[in-house]
Amino acid sequence: MEQGVVDFLPILLGSDVNAYGMARAFHEEYGITSVAVCRWQLSATADTKLIQFEFEPDLENPEVFIKTMNRIADKYAGKKLVLVPCSDGYIKLMIHFQDQLRERFCFNCISEPLLQELQLKENFYKICDKYGFLYPKTTVLTKDNYKDAKLPFDFPVIIKPSNSVEYWKCSFPGKLKVFIAQDKAEFLRIFEAIYNSTYQDHLTVQEYIPGDDSNMRVLNCYVGTDHKVKLMSLGHALLEEHTPQGIGSYAAVINTFDQKLLDKFQYFLEDIGYSGFANFDIKYDSRDGEYKLFEINIRQGRSSFFVTGAGYNLAKWLVDDVVYHKPQQLTYATNECLWTMIPKGVIKKYCQNKELTEKAMQLIKEGRWCNSMHYEPDLNVKRRVRLQLSLMNQYRKYKKYFGKKGMPAKK
């Protein structure tokens, strides 16, 4: 923990697992509580002493957002306010209003033109081609053309919404965050179910890269305000979540290292003029021995606490840059640490990479593991019970949902 008087206050946007992980990082490093500005409180931040809450139900409305942020700046005037968005919607609002916000908050983010370049799929794949990143073959279909569409790749295929915000609002039987269609019949059932809901926007269809969850890699980076990469941490996934709402989210990760891969991403980030946190989803393709890039998130990810847990506190990298303006050299997070949101019994039963499972069990035995939610200074009775119930519930969830990413046939 830093010594002396702390002259800043973290302002988190959100109340999810990511927000709790950042609040914990600030508390571990500086011994301070954070303020979370959010629409409502989620279970991840319930009964915590690490966060004070400022609620605004209409926070995602742009006009309400900037008014709320000005109110927060007035209320906590007198300290440097470090702004940390913890979800896609909030980072986009922060980027849009960054010129106004910089007058009252300290933060680090990309420009709005670069945001558009990275978020629009067409542009993103052009960037991948330019910088030599391989990616799954992809096509975009609509309500009007999916029935007669001829896919440029074979089944199985991945189906996911192009507009995640609108998809989140819709509801229909069998809804998943992401689908895998094994054949044309299942493909049509999925499209029909989605378009019978309120969701009417485009759907993205990708070739399926074979391999279990342990073929996934997650890369977290911090790029300074000088547009130079300061921190890189590559994680090797053991398991992802398999619940309908959680498919694609990491459940257990171990730090790993690949110099060639990291060099490639460092060059990319610095060449495009990136700044702030970046999070990449990558999958190893055993067919050709290459990594395929799925997407870039312009923020730290839900699983990013694995970086802090390994000894590379994300809050410190941000604060040293935007508050204290300390010079920073590139650091690779090479300390092995298991980050997990699931019990070791679930890892042992469901992780299909036995070598990785053994490594995880060894790290647990050595005490080199962490759970974002399991923070002793904050484990009051209510949070301790909540955490234990959540862990036990993971056995039920994996038994019910593991491997089920399709749409059942109609009876």
Side-chain angles (χ1 to χ4, degrees):
M1 184 183 296
E2 292 269 320
Q3 300 298 313
V5 177
V6 175
D7 58 351
F8 65 87
L9 178 66
I11 307 293
L12 312 177
L13 297 175
S15 63
D16 60 359
V17 172
N18 192 359
Y20 186 83
M22 289 306 298
R24 177 177 169 180
F26 278 106
H27 191 268
E28 283 189 5
E29 188 67 28
Y30 305 103
I32 57 175
T33 58
S34 300
V35 172
V37 186
C38 51
R39 291 182 295 164
W40 51 72
Q41 190 177 54
L42 297 173
S43 61
T45 50
D47 304 309
T48 178
K49 298 180 293 184
L50 304 186
I51 302 172
Q52 303 173 49
F53 292 92
E54 296 281 351
F55 297 112
E56 172 46 66
D58 200 23
L59 188 60
E60 292 188 344
N61 179 320
E63 291 184 6
V64 175
F65 174 81
I66 194 62
K67 288 180 181 178
T68 301
M69 298 316 297
N70 283 325
R71 176 177 64 80
I72 295 298
D74 290 338
K75 181 173 181 178
Y76 297 99
K79 283 196 172 185
K80 295 176 182 177
L81 303 180
V82 181
L83 193 55
V84 187
C86 298
S87 70
D88 291 332
Y90 294 136
I91 182 69
K92 290 175 184 176
L93 284 167
M94 188 180 87
I95 289 171
H96 180 70
F97 288 107
Q98 62 181 287
D99 291 340
Q100 291 122 290
L101 292 170
R102 285 192 195 283
E103 298 174 8
R104 314 193 75 180
F105 296 89
C106 303
F107 58 88
N108 186 12
C109 69
I110 61 175
S111 67
E112 195 155 25
L114 183 55
L115 168 68
Q116 296 303 321
E117 199 170 350
L118 293 173
Q119 293 295 293
L120 292 174
K121 293 296 183 185
E122 276 183 27
N123 295 338
F124 178 68
Y125 294 131
K126 288 179 182 177
I127 289 173
C128 287
D129 290 334
K130 178 180 177 181
Y131 289 94
F133 292 115
L134 301 176
Y135 54 89
K137 296 173 184 175
T138 302
T139 188
V140 177
L141 299 179
T142 70
K143 183 177 182 178
D144 297 323
N145 68 10
Y146 78 88
K147 291 181 180 178
D148 300 318
K150 294 183 179 179
L151 300 179
F153 37 82
D154 296 328
F155 287 96
V157 299
I158 301 290
I159 301 171
K160 54 188 178 183
S162 299
N163 187 333
S164 57
V165 175
E166 288 304 312
Y167 187 73
W168 179 255
K169 296 175 184 177
C170 82
S171 178
F172 59 89
K175 179 183 176 183
L176 300 178
K177 183 180 174 184
V178 178
F179 288 94
I180 297 179
Q182 298 294 334
D183 53 37
K184 186 63 177 286
E186 188 173 19
F187 169 89
L188 292 173
R189 288 199 302 273
I190 293 168
F191 269 77
E192 180 183 350
I194 295 173
Y195 283 135
N196 279 338
S197 75
T198 58
Y199 184 87
Q200 300 296 296
D201 210 332
H202 297 173
L203 289 169
T204 299
V205 183
Q206 289 183 329
E207 69 167 325
Y208 174 70
I209 305 299
D212 61 75
D213 294 354
S214 67
N215 283 43
M216 293 300 300
R217 306 291 187 273
V218 53
L219 174 61
N220 286 279
C221 304
Y222 180 74
V223 186
T225 50
D226 62 356
H227 306 292
K228 298 295 183 183
V229 178
K230 308 300 182 182
L231 176 66
M232 304 188 84
S233 180
L234 183 64
H236 190 161
L238 288 83
L239 280 170
E240 295 180 348
E241 286 194 17
H242 285 256
T243 57
Q245 301 81 14
I247 289 174
S249 297
Y250 301 106
V253 174
I254 294 177
N255 293 67
T256 187
F257 184 75
D258 185 318
Q259 187 71 63
K260 183 180 177 181
L261 190 64
L262 296 182
D263 287 347
K264 193 171 185 177
F265 278 95
Q266 179 188 356
Y267 176 77
F268 163 68
L269 289 167
E270 294 182 349
D271 197 59
I272 65 173
Y274 197 93
S275 60
F277 288 110
N279 172 262
F280 299 90
D281 291 320
I282 311 160
K283 189 169 186 179
Y284 177 75
D285 190 341
S286 58
R287 297 173 301 180
D288 56 13
E290 299 284 354
Y291 288 103
K292 305 295 168 65
L293 177 59
F294 281 12
E295 64 180 343
I296 174 174
N297 296 303
I298 49 174
R299 52 171 172 76
Q300 72 283 7
R302 172 184 178 275
S303 65
S304 295
F305 193 81
F306 84 81
V307 187
T308 297
Y312 309 88
N313 191 297
L314 292 179
K316 180 173 171 55
W317 256 266
L318 177 64
V319 169
D320 280 353
D321 186 25
V322 304
V323 177
Y324 299 130
H325 309 295
K326 293 182 179 179
Q328 297 169 307
Q329 302 300 316
L330 174 57
T331 298
Y332 297 114
T334 54
N335 295 340
E336 278 191 340
C337 176
L338 167 69
W339 170 87
T340 179
M341 297 290 283
I342 54 180
K344 68 177 183 179
V346 172
I347 295 175
K348 290 177 73 173
K349 184 172 183 179
Y350 292 98
C351 179
Q352 295 172 272
N353 185 319
K354 297 309 175 187
E355 182 179 343
L356 206 56
T357 302
E358 290 176 7
K359 180 178 286 188
M361 296 305 109
Q362 184 62 32
L363 290 171
I364 291 173
K365 184 177 180 181
E366 295 172 3
R368 295 161 61 192
W369 71 279
C370 66
N371 178 317
S372 299
M373 302 291 100
H374 192 109
Y375 184 41
E376 280 296 335
D378 196 35
L379 282 183
N380 53 60
V381 174
K382 287 185 177 180
R383 278 196 66 84
R384 197 178 293 275
V385 171
R386 187 186 299 275
L387 175 63
Q388 191 58 38
L389 289 175
S390 175
L391 288 173
M392 296 306 296
N393 196 31
Q394 294 292 347
Y395 289 98
R396 180 191 65 82
K397 287 181 178 179
Y398 275 84
K399 182 178 181 180
K400 182 176 181 180
Y401 296 112
F402 186 75
K404 298 175 181 177
K405 298 182 180 180
M407 174 69 72
K410 293 180 179 179
K411 295 181 180 179

